[in-house]
Amino acid sequence: MSDIREPAAVYEYTHVVQYYETDAMRVVHHSNYIRWMEECRLDYMAKLGLPYDKMEENGVIVPVISASCEYKEATRYGETVKIIGEMERFDGLRFFLTYRITDPAGDVLHAVGRTGHCFLNRNMKPINIKKTAPEIYEVFRYFK
Amino acid sequence: MSDIREPAAVYEYTHVVQYYETDAMRVVHHSNYIRWMEECRLDYMAKLGLPYDKMEENGVIVPVISASCEYKEATRYGETVKIIGEMERFDGLRFFLTYRITDPAGDVLHAVGRTGHCFLNRNMKPINIKKTAPEIYEVFRYFK
Amino acid sequence: MSDIREPAAVYEYTHVVQYYETDAMRVVHHSNYIRWMEECRLDYMAKLGLPYDKMEENGVIVPVISASCEYKEATRYGETVKIIGEMERFDGLRFFLTYRITDPAGDVLHAVGRTGHCFLNRNMKPINIKKTAPEIYEVFRYFK
Amino acid sequence: MSDIREPAAVYEYTHVVQYYETDAMRVVHHSNYIRWMEECRLDYMAKLGLPYDKMEENGVIVPVISASCEYKEATRYGETVKIIGEMERFDGLRFFLTYRITDPAGDVLHAVGRTGHCFLNRNMKPINIKKTAPEIYEVFRYFK
């Protein structure tokens, strides 16, 4: 009866650990997990039909308003990680994702994280996407 | 009667924003705030008599077990930020710092953050510093 | 008559541009091209049977002794690049690679680069791999 | 008779090595030297009266067209480096700097490098600064 598809609330992304991501502890520097969450999130949004380069071209900026990570097991050069991003909720103005970073098999939990985001226009002023970017709202409303 | 000085629980660190820290939003990429907290923290520990390179030489590793940041006002190339690190507490095994990132005058709050840390030996096993590194414990016990 | 295979002197690697790699010029920061060359090089060495994490475990360190890059056409978030690494030569002690960074179709030349490397032991002293690591020499001698 | 001062062709910049700049070799990752050259260069330009944020505001973009570095002696966390930038030449369209990275006393040469730059407008098209930005030309003409 309908071709409206509910977008997947969970997205799996794979990252190969790079040597330049390690530090003198011989493990990945903790700041890079924050970057991996971004990799996962932007790839996820592209798969939802919202590639971020196009959003910016259309004048919609999606900054990070909060980020957190708990580090469980270090990752090392030579390893690959799986990042499972989950759209936690969208409150009309802001949205939040959680992330689980594991080994490829999902047996080792390396870290868990969370980020929060809002929508701004080119002048860095908050916007109501329901009004100004309904095509974006159409995707996010499934996560309300 | 005593020359034991209580170490300062608050430390102020200055960072000049670098161009390579910016991203295509023309503001500093959010992951760099996590790095600035590290700059502040390690400089603070050095001032407390615990330079981290010497701690590592002595076999004490201090990883990050948690990190979080709330982003309030973006920072841009050409700006300088002040990072006020505060030792929040030490529970005998772990310690926690909070950070306020402001403009040099302290009028604009750019971000607030928090990190947690533990003590490991070279084999990445948790250690009780009271027993294995009493000179480190001597500093941290003031923050209990 | 023989199963000795000559290793490929050219290796093609794909990198998806990340948002955190951009800077306030809205293009990828030039320092990241040096990192992309490392990604290509280490993946190439792994394919040659020399995964770098195993080399380090076996006490062979391969630092960068020189790196250069000429920037032709900027790359942006949303793009994918192809990095074609080529083993230029091995002189018994050092080896050199060149890199061409292009769009996926190979029509746009974004940058060309070159890196030089030597072999060290764990104490950061130069080693003659023909003597101390003949299994590595076996691979590199094809590039002499 | 004249108050026209020739700008200094050599500029000294100090950088404190950060932990997040190290890699699993326990030394600074080679890509960061390229970033240090940028730190030195932009600070130098600011001292010459050409702060880069103001140049960009005025529509003048100064990208890197080439960068190279020879690595001599590794740097480690806990160290401070001195970067001596020297304006090598300006040919009317492009300018080139060389860099010497040493320990603070100048006894240990860690690396030497070189970068090349041109001038673009906001649309990333080359400009002749003598015509379009004479105040910038006034500074650079001393390096012709």
Side-chain angles (χ1 to χ4, degrees):
Chain A
M1 295 293 255
S2 164
D3 62 348
I4 297 172
R5 285 179 311 154
E6 193 171 334
V10 175
Y11 184 70
E12 200 175 302
Y13 179 83
T14 297
H15 177 89
V16 178
V17 174
Q18 300 301 334
Y19 198 82
Y20 59 73
E21 293 176 329
T22 61
D23 69 19
M25 280 184 208
R26 298 187 55 77
V27 300
V28 171
H29 190 268
H30 61 285
S31 62
N32 291 312
Y33 290 66
I34 304 290
R35 297 184 171 192
W36 296 353
M37 293 180 207
E38 177 184 276
E39 289 191 28
C40 173
R41 177 174 66 252
L42 295 184
D43 207 45
Y44 181 13
M45 284 173 64
K47 292 298 184 299
L48 290 173
L50 301 170
Y52 189 59
D53 50 332
K54 301 302 176 208
M55 290 178 74
E56 280 199 343
E57 274 173 29
N58 293 331
V60 178
I61 311 293
V62 185
V64 177
I65 55 175
S66 61
S68 64
C69 191
E70 283 176 58
Y71 303 91
K72 310 287 191 185
E73 280 285 334
T75 47
R76 289 173 174 78
Y77 176 70
E79 295 179 357
T80 294
V81 292
K82 196 164 74 178
I83 304 156
I84 303 123
E86 182 165 0
M87 198 66 80
E88 190 186 84
R89 81 190 155 91
F90 166 61
D91 69 6
L93 292 173
R94 299 170 304 166
F95 66 96
F96 298 88
L97 289 111
T98 58
Y99 310 85
R100 287 174 59 82
I101 302 178
T102 71
D103 68 324
D107 293 332
V108 179
L109 181 61
H110 290 298
V112 293
R114 187 171 185 267
T115 58
H117 308 270
C118 65
F119 299 94
L120 305 179
N121 64 17
R122 280 201 184 94
N123 300 322
M124 294 295 203
K125 300 292 170 200
I127 54 173
N128 182 324
I129 57 159
K130 191 170 181 177
K131 287 184 190 168
T132 58
E135 72 289 358
I136 296 174
Y137 182 79
E138 272 309 291
V139 175
F140 276 94
R141 72 186 176 89
Y142 285 101
F143 306 118
K144 271 189 114 163
Chain B
M1 293 295 257
S2 164
D3 62 348
I4 297 171
R5 286 180 309 154
E6 191 171 335
V10 175
Y11 183 70
E12 198 174 302
Y13 179 84
T14 297
H15 176 89
V16 177
V17 174
Q18 300 301 333
Y19 198 81
Y20 58 74
E21 294 176 328
T22 61
D23 68 20
M25 280 185 208
R26 299 187 53 77
V27 300
V28 171
H29 190 268
H30 62 284
S31 62
N32 291 312
Y33 290 66
I34 304 292
R35 298 184 171 191
W36 295 353
M37 294 181 206
E38 177 185 277
E39 289 191 31
C40 173
R41 177 174 66 251
L42 296 184
D43 207 46
Y44 182 13
M45 286 173 64
K47 291 298 183 300
L48 290 173
L50 301 171
Y52 189 60
D53 50 332
K54 301 302 176 209
M55 291 179 73
E56 279 198 343
E57 274 172 30
N58 293 331
V60 178
I61 311 293
V62 185
V64 177
I65 56 175
S66 61
S68 64
C69 191
E70 283 175 59
Y71 303 90
K72 309 287 190 185
E73 280 285 335
T75 48
R76 290 173 173 78
Y77 176 69
E79 296 179 357
T80 294
V81 292
K82 196 164 74 177
I83 304 155
I84 303 122
E86 182 164 2
M87 198 64 82
E88 189 186 86
R89 81 190 156 90
F90 166 61
D91 69 6
L93 292 173
R94 298 169 305 166
F95 65 96
F96 298 87
L97 289 112
T98 58
Y99 309 84
R100 286 173 60 82
I101 302 178
T102 71
D103 68 325
D107 293 331
V108 179
L109 181 62
H110 290 298
V112 293
R114 189 172 184 266
T115 58
H117 308 270
C118 65
F119 299 94
L120 305 180
N121 65 16
R122 279 201 184 92
N123 300 322
M124 295 295 207
K125 299 293 170 202
I127 54 173
N128 181 326
I129 58 160
K130 190 170 182 177
K131 287 185 191 168
T132 57
E135 72 289 359
I136 296 175
Y137 182 79
E138 273 309 292
V139 176
F140 275 95
R141 73 188 177 86
Y142 286 101
F143 306 117
K144 271 188 113 160
Chain C
M1 293 294 258
S2 164
D3 63 349
I4 297 172
R5 285 180 310 154
E6 191 171 335
V10 175
Y11 183 71
E12 198 174 302
Y13 178 84
T14 297
H15 177 88
V16 178
V17 174
Q18 300 301 334
Y19 198 81
Y20 58 74
E21 294 176 328
T22 60
D23 68 20
M25 281 186 208
R26 299 185 55 76
V27 299
V28 171
H29 190 269
H30 62 284
S31 62
N32 291 311
Y33 291 66
I34 304 291
R35 298 184 171 192
W36 295 353
M37 294 181 208
E38 178 185 276
E39 288 191 30
C40 173
R41 177 174 66 252
L42 295 184
D43 207 46
Y44 181 13
M45 285 173 65
K47 292 297 183 301
L48 289 174
L50 301 170
Y52 189 60
D53 50 332
K54 302 301 176 209
M55 290 178 73
E56 279 198 344
E57 275 173 29
N58 293 332
V60 178
I61 311 293
V62 185
V64 177
I65 54 174
S66 61
S68 64
C69 191
E70 284 175 58
Y71 303 90
K72 309 287 191 186
E73 281 284 336
T75 48
R76 289 172 173 78
Y77 176 69
E79 295 178 356
T80 293
V81 292
K82 197 165 74 177
I83 304 156
I84 304 122
E86 181 165 0
M87 198 64 83
E88 190 186 84
R89 81 191 156 89
F90 167 60
D91 69 6
L93 293 172
R94 298 170 304 166
F95 65 96
F96 299 88
L97 289 111
T98 56
Y99 309 84
R100 287 172 61 81
I101 302 179
T102 71
D103 68 325
D107 293 332
V108 179
L109 181 62
H110 290 297
V112 293
R114 188 171 184 267
T115 59
H117 308 269
C118 65
F119 299 94
L120 305 180
N121 65 17
R122 279 200 185 93
N123 300 321
M124 294 295 204
K125 299 293 169 202
I127 54 173
N128 181 326
I129 57 161
K130 190 169 181 177
K131 287 185 190 168
T132 58
E135 73 287 0
I136 296 174
Y137 181 79
E138 271 309 291
V139 175
F140 275 94
R141 71 185 177 88
Y142 285 101
F143 305 118
K144 271 187 110 162
Chain D
M1 296 290 258
S2 162
D3 62 348
I4 297 171
R5 286 180 310 155
E6 192 170 333
V10 175
Y11 184 71
E12 200 174 301
Y13 178 84
T14 297
H15 177 89
V16 178
V17 174
Q18 300 301 334
Y19 198 81
Y20 58 74
E21 294 176 329
T22 61
D23 68 20
M25 281 184 207
R26 297 187 55 75
V27 299
V28 171
H29 190 268
H30 62 284
S31 62
N32 291 312
Y33 290 66
I34 304 291
R35 297 184 171 193
W36 295 353
M37 293 181 208
E38 178 184 277
E39 289 191 29
C40 173
R41 178 174 65 251
L42 295 185
D43 207 45
Y44 181 13
M45 285 172 65
K47 292 297 183 300
L48 290 173
L50 301 171
Y52 189 59
D53 50 333
K54 301 302 176 209
M55 290 179 73
E56 279 199 343
E57 274 173 30
N58 293 331
V60 178
I61 312 294
V62 185
V64 176
I65 55 175
S66 61
S68 64
C69 191
E70 283 176 58
Y71 303 91
K72 309 286 191 186
E73 281 285 335
T75 48
R76 289 172 174 76
Y77 176 70
E79 296 179 355
T80 294
V81 292
K82 196 164 74 177
I83 304 156
I84 304 122
E86 182 165 1
M87 198 64 81
E88 190 185 84
R89 82 190 156 89
F90 167 60
D91 69 6
L93 292 173
R94 298 169 305 165
F95 65 95
F96 299 87
L97 289 111
T98 58
Y99 310 84
R100 286 174 61 83
I101 302 178
T102 71
D103 68 325
D107 293 332
V108 179
L109 180 62
H110 291 297
V112 293
R114 188 171 185 268
T115 58
H117 307 270
C118 64
F119 299 94
L120 305 179
N121 64 16
R122 280 201 185 93
N123 300 321
M124 294 295 206
K125 300 294 171 200
I127 53 173
N128 181 326
I129 58 159
K130 191 169 181 177
K131 287 184 191 168
T132 58
E135 72 288 358
I136 296 175
Y137 182 78
E138 273 309 292
V139 175
F140 275 95
R141 73 187 176 86
Y142 285 100
F143 306 118
K144 271 188 112 162

